[in-house]
Amino acid sequence: MRSLLPVAGALLGAAVLVAGCSASGDGSADPGAAPPVIGDVPLVDEPALDECSTENLTVVNPGQLTVGARSVDVEPLFRAGDPSTGEGFDAALTYEIASALGFERPEVSWVVLEPRVDPFLEGSRVDFVIGQVLAAGATDSSVASDPYLTLPSGEESYVLLLAAGNPLVTC
């Protein structure tokens, strides 16, 4: 209904303008007619498109967050080699990210990736990659997020890896 208000306001304004400019039957303007008055048409503040809302996200599988996991056998990142348990730092972080994006736990699917295989080289198979992805690990087909974990030495930082150009990067 809100999206119809600007259209209705414009039509009302046009009708007032046409009525005020109507000519008498002989083709001349009615000299006694008041000049047309164009009223203020209220503008409707519609919210900007939120690319990060669940329904507007660009994801590989609509309605689902598909996560690529590397190093699933490395504790404390993942436990028991199964990232879907949510146990381990990276698994728990993934479910927190999913929740922040509006995905429930059952809407998160996992793809266990082979080491050194670029999941974005031939098109996206996953929405992002987690699990010992170094900040320097981005390629031509991917982009790294801000670091989510930095080792105490400060030399290495871990990031999420996303397909280049994916608007999810800003979310």
Side-chain angles (χ1 to χ4, degrees), residues 88-114:
F89 183 79
D90 282 6
L93 176 62
T94 298
Y95 283 116
E96 286 300 316
I97 292 169
S99 177
L101 293 171
F103 291 95
E104 300 291 328
R105 194 175 179 118
E107 296 170 319
V108 176
S109 68
W110 292 88
V111 176
V112 176
L113 302 171
E114 295 296 322

Side-chain angles (χ1 to χ4, degrees), residues 2 4 42 54 76 81 88 103 110 115 131 143 168:
R2 290 182 61 191
L4 294 179
T54 309
F103 291 95
W110 292 88
V143 63
L168 192 60

